[in-house]
Amino acid sequence: MRVDGALARVIRSTADRAATAEAELCELCAARLAAEHPHLYDTGAVEVRCVCHPCSVLFADDGAGEGRYRLVPRRRLRLPPVDTAVLGVPVGLVFFVPGSDGTVAAQGPSPAGAMRWEVDAAAWQRLAATVPQLAAMTPDVEALLVNTVRGLDEHWIVPVDDCYRMIALVRREWRGLSGGGRVWPAVEQFFRELTERS
């Protein structure tokens, strides 16, 4: 899964909203969007698209749109600590997205945007066998989001758009070589504001 387009879209969307009071428009029908609105994952363009609630209903079924668009779920589920060290990813702020093709991508934020690693699919399957919630994730549109930086131990199943918001936040707040004094408090605030929902 490539996040360049999705990340750029989230950053532009956030910057545009801050710069102007003009409402964002649905990318399917051009209706004005509420501040909180659904997203579709475009499997062809490998991007997340902003949509209105009526358009999102059209894609609630996985077979809708011949599978090109997948509705990004709203579910957030806090998990007990998950031993992600077995996946071989050397960072503490990362998210894992299982793909519908059986691959698993790990992505983490950096001052330049997202860093990406391919995760051994067999290692992911072994981990999912011990954590049933991971096996039940919706491919491409849900992620295991992990933060073990600075003594935290946060593990969540979240929609991928939450992950892109976190990457945009890190990119926006990062200063200098080590991140400066703003980025880590902002990341901690991001995790404090995550709430479980079904």
Side-chain angles (χ1 to χ4, degrees):
M1 174 194 229
R2 199 187 76 219
V3 300
D4 300 339
L7 176 59
R9 186 177 300 280
V10 169
I11 292 170
R12 278 195 312 272
S13 172
T14 302
D16 291 347
R17 272 184 267 161
T20 69
E22 190 174 319
E24 194 172 6
L25 301 179
C26 174
E27 295 186 52
L28 295 181
C29 74
R32 293 174 74 95
L33 293 175
E36 289 287 321
H37 55 267
H39 294 100
L40 292 179
Y41 176 69
D42 183 337
T43 60
V46 194
E47 292 183 340
V48 173
R49 302 197 179 279
C50 299
V51 294
C52 64
H53 288 284
C55 284
S56 73
V57 172
L58 299 173
F59 298 95
D61 180 19
D62 282 342
E66 298 179 352
R68 173 164 180 168
Y69 296 107
R70 303 195 62 202
L71 184 62
V72 176
R74 293 182 32 81
R75 175 174 79 132
R76 284 191 195 131
L77 177 64
R78 187 177 193 140
L79 300 175
V82 176
D83 182 14
T84 56
V86 299
L87 300 176
V89 176
V91 295
L93 182 58
V94 65
F95 62 95
F96 301 89
V97 181
S100 51
D101 61 357
T103 62
V104 180
Q107 299 175 55
S110 79
M115 299 179 296
R116 180 188 159 100
W117 303 267
E118 290 297 323
V119 173
D120 178 46
W124 174 265
Q125 291 301 325
R126 287 191 299 274
L127 181 61
T130 66
V131 183
Q133 298 93 330
L134 300 183
M137 288 172 55
T138 307
D140 301 320
V141 292
E142 283 190 312
L144 169 63
L145 176 61
V146 177
N147 183 7
T148 57
V149 176
R150 297 172 62 137
L152 295 178
D153 203 8
E154 300 271 354
H155 298 81
W156 289 81
I157 293 176
V158 297
V160 292
D161 50 2
D162 279 348
C163 300
Y164 298 150
R165 283 190 312 106
M166 186 264 303
I167 288 175
L169 171 90
V170 169
R171 188 170 184 184
R172 184 180 68 236
E173 299 297 336
W174 193 280
R175 300 292 181 271
L177 295 175
S178 65
R182 293 173 24 176
V183 67
W184 298 117
V187 168
E188 290 170 13
Q189 182 67 28
F190 174 87
F191 277 89
R192 275 194 300 273
E193 291 173 359
L194 285 180
T195 55
E196 287 194 289
R197 64 188 187 199
S198 55

